[in-house]
Amino acid sequence: VVRERETVALIGPSGCGKSTLLGIMGGLLAPSEGRVAAVGAPPDGCLNPYTYIFQDFALLPWRTVGGNVGMPLEHHRLTAGERRERIDRALALTGLTDFAAAYPRQLSGGMRQRVGIARAIAVAPAVLLLDEPLSALDAQTRELLLEDLIAIWAREQTTSVYVTHNLDEALRIADRVVVLSRRPGRIKEILDIDLPLGERTAPGNADIMADLHTRLWSLIRDEAADADREMADA
């Protein structure tokens, strides 16, 4: 269960089905059994119940930044003014206002991913699905974008499911971390993170975060090593 306004991170060994599970949640893949159910009404202004942010940015190179952000709005009954308002707001939230007329080829990897985030925000999703959105970025850019995501979530409070291999990312951004076992993936443990998002990098909480990291790593270490050997053999 993913509760309203919380962020749940999915971690586990390679090949355990994290991205597959995300695809089932978003309706891209059909489950072999079971079902996904949404309970309650979507938030005000929601245009898409489920919206993805992908690892590879998935931008249209012939469209400007503003054109990419506005693309999912074109299939909805909005006036030109309403579309413009949503685009401008999403660009402002992601620090892209001055880049609205730029093309993806003119942007760094971090800026391109910000366009992907802005595009998702523009439709005000009920649930945001993120599939390793920072893994293609260098360490410094990843840290900057992680801080941006935390600030956006603190403001928007969008319900989110975040797939990652990075334990530090999961601990920084999630309210709960779901640890999956090796294939076929099953829930091994659910770890609650009680510290507020803005306090997790505070020096006084370093020991708490280190203990959480150690706990997560202990849950997946052996299975991650087995999965790595399995993939190498294949």
Side-chain angles (χ1 to χ4, degrees), residues 29 32 38 101 120 128 133 137 140 162 182 201 210 217 224:
L29 299 172
S32 56
L128 189 58
L137 306 175
Q140 292 180 359
Y162 191 102
R182 283 185 66 199
T201 56
W217 182 231

Side-chain angles (χ1 to χ4, degrees), residues 4-7 43 125-126 151-160:
E4 185 179 9
R5 296 181 179 179
E6 80 167 346
T7 297
I152 290 168
W153 263 311
R155 176 168 178 165
E156 301 297 292
Q157 296 186 320
T158 303
T159 305
S160 306

Side-chain angles (χ1 to χ4, degrees), residues 93-192:
L93 278 171
T94 51
L96 291 170
T97 299
D98 293 338
F99 299 88
Y103 287 89
R105 66 178 180 274
Q106 298 173 295
L107 304 178
S108 66
M111 294 297 280
R112 289 197 295 271
Q113 190 58 292
R114 283 184 175 87
V115 179
I117 295 168
R119 181 177 56 195
I121 290 171
V123 298
V127 181
L128 189 58
L129 305 172
L130 302 98
D131 193 1
E132 300 195 59
L134 308 184
S135 62
L137 306 175
D138 63 77
Q140 292 180 359
T141 302
R142 187 165 59 242
E143 181 65 26
L144 290 170
L145 201 50
L146 187 61
E147 291 179 357
D148 287 347
L149 278 172
I150 290 170
I152 290 168
W153 263 311
R155 176 168 178 165
E156 301 297 292
Q157 296 186 320
T158 303
T159 305
S160 306
V161 181
Y162 191 102
V163 166
T164 182
H165 279 94
N166 189 303
L167 304 189
D168 290 323
E169 277 181 34
L171 290 171
R172 286 277 301 281
I173 211 163
D175 299 296
R176 289 186 297 149
V177 179
V178 177
V179 182
L180 299 178
S181 66
R182 283 185 66 199
R183 184 170 50 197
R186 297 288 185 269
I187 294 177
K188 190 172 184 179
E189 188 159 328
I190 299 176
L191 187 67
D192 291 300

Side-chain angles (χ1 to χ4, degrees), residues 2-89:
V2 181
R3 307 181 188 111
E4 185 179 9
R5 296 181 179 179
E6 80 167 346
T7 297
V8 172
L10 301 178
I11 68 168
S14 296
C16 72
K18 299 183 294 295
S19 294
T20 298
L21 179 56
L22 205 69
I24 291 171
M25 289 180 181
L28 298 182
L29 299 172
S32 56
E33 58 182 274
R35 64 190 181 93
V36 176
V39 179
D44 292 340
C46 174
L47 299 180
N48 287 359
Y50 302 97
T51 297
Y52 275 87
I53 295 177
F54 297 99
Q55 175 183 344
D56 61 356
F57 316 135
L59 303 180
L60 299 180
W62 59 87
R63 283 188 173 232
T64 64
V65 167
N68 270 283
V69 173
M71 182 182 65
L73 304 177
E74 295 170 4
H75 307 291
H76 297 278
R77 293 182 177 179
L78 299 172
T79 67
E82 289 170 334
R83 281 198 298 271
R84 186 73 259 165
E85 183 179 354
R86 282 177 177 261
I87 292 169
D88 289 347
R89 181 176 182 276

